[in-house]
Amino acid sequence: MKPRGLLLLAVAVFPLAGAAQRCKCLSFQSCWPSPSEFSELSSQLSQPLIHPTPPASACYPPSNPSGNCTDVISHLPDGRVRTGIPGAMEKINWESFTFDNGTIDACYYDFTLGFPCDQGNIPIIGVDARTVADVQAAVGFVSKHDLRLVVKNTGHDYLGRSTARGAFMLWTHNLKNITYDDTFVPSGAPPNSPTYKAFTLGAGVQWYEAYAAANDRKRVIVGGVSVGGSVGASGGWIQGGGHSILSSRYGLGVDNVIQFTVVLATGQYVTANEYQNQDLFWALRGGGGGTYGIVLSVTYRTYDVLPVTGMRMFVNFSSLLIAQNVSTEFFAMLPSLSDAGWSGYSNLTQTSFTTLNVASNVSVAEANATFSMFIDRVRAVVGNPQDILVEVQPFSSFYEAYLAFYSGTGEVGGITEMVSRLLSSKMARDQPEVVAKTVLSIVGGVRLSFVAGGAVSKVDPDSSGLNPAWREAVALVITGISWEEGTTSSQINRLRQGAAANLDVLDRVSVDSGTYFNEASLYEKDFKKTFFGSHYPRLKDIKRKYDQDDIFLVAEGVGSDDWDKSLNCRLD
């Protein structure tokens, strides 16, 4: 018997016979295109059609010729390897599908559990896009047959938006073109317009590739940070807002975009910038990926290379009172740190605190002066010097610091569901003790992405489709749940109930706030407010203008409120 569970996204809902309800066509239904129709599509493409399989299938007899089981398991935490596999998601829970009766369809990496290997949540066919024409052909085919479409680049998706059972996959991972222009002029700009030192990155470029290219040109580009750098530079990261360890100094990703190229639902290939398709340009900067069209490239402004200083700190807490005091000091300091150009990432529990913060063009002496009062207070509170470790380290460039802190593998291959909230600068500054006490009440602790404030707060909240709550925030507070493959549905449901309760806790320190579209949950009571704020009505209008037939849909994205939870059938 297969294990039973409940997956919030993956409940296939179908209309009663004779009903007028519109539903997408799925691969296990009679409406699915015939082999000859797929053959016709294939003749229009630069590459053969792909047939994604569960990566773990190599571990099940009969052996899958696509790989060796030992290789699959050894590369499970390696994002760079996994992003090259069409059927792989960076968080493996999204490779599984749960029916509404609780039966799980999956191919577990732990093959010793004794369950069969099934297709799970992975589409059975798709297009490996290498050209604009490939994308246009795929979009046209999906439109003609009214298929459920998923757009997948890296699969680095915490909400499962880049895969779906029965869907047709458009895989953009191999659109790897990178170009640099010292005097880039946006398309359609009038004479004598400003020029930019800019990189144009294809949809499949990942941040480790973009950073290396920028370093070769002695430039700095604002991008995402993760171990191994496997996050895509031109997909969901930027369309969801794009936070960075450089954000306090240079702003978010959406604040640094100059131009997009996009294939629309009609198949038209367009440019969106401040001179052409301005409404689309506005929406693509924070209005959520997979919603308005297929982004084929993004052009980013760049900055001069500056020296970078990193400050790392570890504190062991011998009591909850010490944890409360240290955390209060840290939260109180965040607004002034961001104003000084510092950003970073921290982990906080009742027993320990770790933090990594960086700033550009700051000397070691200046860094020590900035943190000295905080460090002195922590030492006074903690008492035991062996419970504190502080390291301040200079680097010649951001790229050097990035390689030092984020090379290697990790952050992928596990099971994770997140809940999160933006922490306002006002709350951190005025009530740090409340923030500390509330956060420390969360069992298992939180991750704090200190990536707002500073330059982020100086941008007009209405300049892009991004949730305006970002402009008042100083950090993103994240917690979550995980479980092992084969966990029973009752256990998973209890974990999810706990996560939902933790979200209620975070709401107490982020009243009327929002969160980051890319690092969040499916437990939102009002996703339109939480993800998009006051911008949702305008984003919905733009969505209707460019995709009136809802070819592009993602869970809790703009326009998804017109569809059921499976995103397969319209509600009206």
Side-chain angles (χ1 to χ4, degrees):
M1 178 181 294
K2 295 182 182 179
R4 296 178 180 273
L6 175 64
L7 186 61
L8 300 181
L9 263 183
V11 179
V13 179
F14 305 106
L16 298 174
Q21 186 180 33
R22 175 198 164 191
C23 294
K24 301 279 189 178
C25 179
L26 305 176
S27 62
F28 42 82
Q29 296 175 320
S30 60
C31 56
W32 192 246
S34 66
S36 63
E37 289 169 318
F38 277 113
S39 179
E40 181 182 354
L41 169 63
S42 183
S43 69
Q44 303 171 44
L45 304 172
S46 66
Q47 304 293 315
L49 288 166
I50 56 173
H51 300 275
T53 57
S57 61
C59 299
Y60 293 77
S63 178
N64 189 315
S66 65
N68 175 281
C69 180
T70 301
D71 289 341
V72 168
I73 301 304
S74 65
H75 288 117
L76 190 56
D78 190 334
R80 296 187 188 182
V81 172
R82 289 182 58 75
T83 53
I85 304 171
M89 294 293 288
E90 299 297 79
K91 293 301 178 182
I92 62 175
N93 43 308
W94 297 113
E95 294 174 11
S96 299
F97 179 85
T98 304
F99 293 94
D100 55 358
N101 68 358
T103 302
I104 294 177
D105 192 274
C107 186
Y108 290 137
Y109 291 83
D110 185 356
F111 53 89
T112 66
L113 293 171
F115 299 107
C117 175
D118 295 318
Q119 187 72 14
N121 206 36
I122 302 167
I124 64 171
I125 197 168
V127 168
D128 176 5
R130 307 290 180 101
T131 66
V132 173
D134 286 344
V135 175
Q136 291 172 319
V139 170
F141 188 80
V142 167
S143 178
K144 177 180 178 181
H145 297 282
D146 206 8
L147 307 182
R148 170 74 186 280
L149 174 67
V150 293
V151 183
K152 179 177 183 288
N153 177 13
T154 65
H156 207 295
D157 187 336
Y158 290 111
L159 291 95
R161 290 169 171 149
S162 55
T163 192
R165 176 179 169 83
F168 181 88
M169 177 184 289
L170 177 55
W171 194 38
T172 62
H173 177 67
N174 290 308
L175 290 164
K176 293 285 192 180
N177 190 53
I178 300 176
T179 59
Y180 177 71
D181 190 338
D182 240 347
T183 55
F184 181 84
V185 178
S187 179
N192 302 317
S193 294
T195 63
Y196 301 88
K197 297 179 184 296
F199 271 98
T200 298
L201 308 177
V205 174
Q206 293 163 270
W207 280 118
Y208 77 92
E209 297 165 318
Y211 288 147
N215 183 67
D216 288 344
R217 290 284 186 169
K218 296 182 171 30
R219 303 298 295 169
V220 171
I221 188 169
V222 176
V225 170
S226 62
V227 177
S230 61
V231 173
S234 303
W237 179 84
I238 182 60
Q239 293 171 69
H243 69 63
S244 171
I245 204 168
L246 297 173
S247 289
S248 290
R249 182 176 182 90
Y250 300 118
L252 298 167
V254 294
D255 303 326
N256 287 280
V257 173
I258 304 170
Q259 183 167 287
F260 295 92
T261 60
V262 190
V263 170
L264 302 176
T266 60
Q268 185 181 5
Y269 180 54
V270 302
T271 296
N273 56 35
E274 63 177 310
Y275 307 106
Q276 298 180 327
N277 299 301
Q278 294 96 327
D279 54 353
L280 181 61
F281 184 57
W282 185 86
L284 289 171
R285 289 178 294 139
T291 301
Y292 309 96
I294 308 297
V295 171
L296 269 68
S297 73
V298 181
T299 302
Y300 290 96
R301 73 183 71 214
T302 64
Y303 299 91
D304 295 335
V305 172
L306 297 172
V308 167
T309 296
M311 192 286 279
R312 289 189 286 187
M313 186 177 191
F314 169 80
V315 184
N316 181 59
F317 300 140
S318 58
S319 73
L320 184 57
L321 179 60
I322 291 174
Q324 172 75 38
N325 290 336
V326 170
S327 303
T328 297
E329 293 285 352
F330 185 68
F331 283 116
M333 181 175 59
L334 289 182
S336 61
L337 275 183
S338 66
D339 288 341
W342 288 87
S343 296
Y345 301 98
S346 307
N347 290 293
L348 175 63
T349 73
Q350 293 181 359
T351 59
S352 67
F353 169 63
T354 59
T355 187
L356 165 65
N357 299 280
V358 303
S360 301
N361 211 27
V362 171
S363 68
V364 169
E366 290 169 327
N368 284 329
T370 296
F371 286 96
S372 61
M373 184 177 296
F374 171 67
I375 294 171
D376 288 345
R377 289 178 177 176
V378 171
R379 284 177 172 150
V381 169
V382 172
N384 185 356
Q386 293 183 337
D387 284 338
I388 305 172
L389 176 65
V390 179
E391 180 183 34
V392 178
Q393 187 175 0
F395 298 94
S396 62
S397 66
F398 163 72
Y399 189 63
E400 183 184 10
Y402 166 76
L403 293 178
F405 296 137
Y406 292 100
S407 60
T409 60
E411 294 190 20
V412 305
I415 291 175
T416 301
E417 288 186 9
M418 292 180 167
V419 297
S420 64
R421 279 294 181 269
L422 289 166
L423 173 64
S424 71
S425 295
K426 180 176 176 26
M427 193 72 185
R429 181 179 58 251
D430 296 346
Q431 300 186 60
E433 69 287 345
V434 173
V435 177
K437 183 177 181 180
T438 305
V439 166
L440 287 169
S441 72
I442 295 176
V443 176
V446 301
R447 174 174 178 172
L448 191 74
S449 295
F450 168 41
V451 290
V456 176
S457 65
K458 295 177 173 60
V459 177
D460 179 357
D462 294 325
S463 64
S464 70
L466 183 72
N467 189 337
W470 269 103
R471 306 307 177 183
E472 300 175 355
V474 70
L476 178 69
V477 184
I478 303 170
T479 186
I481 57 173
S482 64
W483 60 89
E484 298 298 323
E485 291 180 316
T487 299
T488 66
S489 62
S490 60
Q491 291 172 316
I492 294 173
N493 288 337
R494 282 196 293 270
L495 289 170
R496 286 177 171 149
Q497 289 167 5
N502 285 336
L503 187 56
D504 289 338
V505 171
L506 293 181
D507 272 330
R508 293 204 293 269
V509 295
S510 300
V511 179
D512 291 326
S513 183
T515 196
Y516 182 37
F517 187 69
N518 294 329
E519 293 176 314
S521 79
L522 298 175
Y523 314 136
E524 296 296 342
K525 297 172 184 176
D526 184 356
F527 78 86
K528 293 183 281 189
K529 175 184 176 182
T530 302
F531 292 146
F532 308 105
S534 59
H535 288 160
Y536 189 83
R538 183 179 174 190
L539 289 167
K540 184 78 172 281
D541 288 344
I542 295 170
K543 164 75 170 171
R544 286 286 155 261
K545 174 181 176 180
Y546 288 98
D547 183 26
Q548 60 183 352
D549 291 329
D550 285 333
I551 290 177
F552 309 116
L553 287 170
V554 297
E556 298 189 347
V558 173
S560 65
D561 49 322
D562 294 331
W563 294 73
D564 64 18
K565 276 292 184 182
S566 74
L567 300 183
N568 292 327
C569 295
R570 282 191 68 93
L571 295 174
D572 53 11

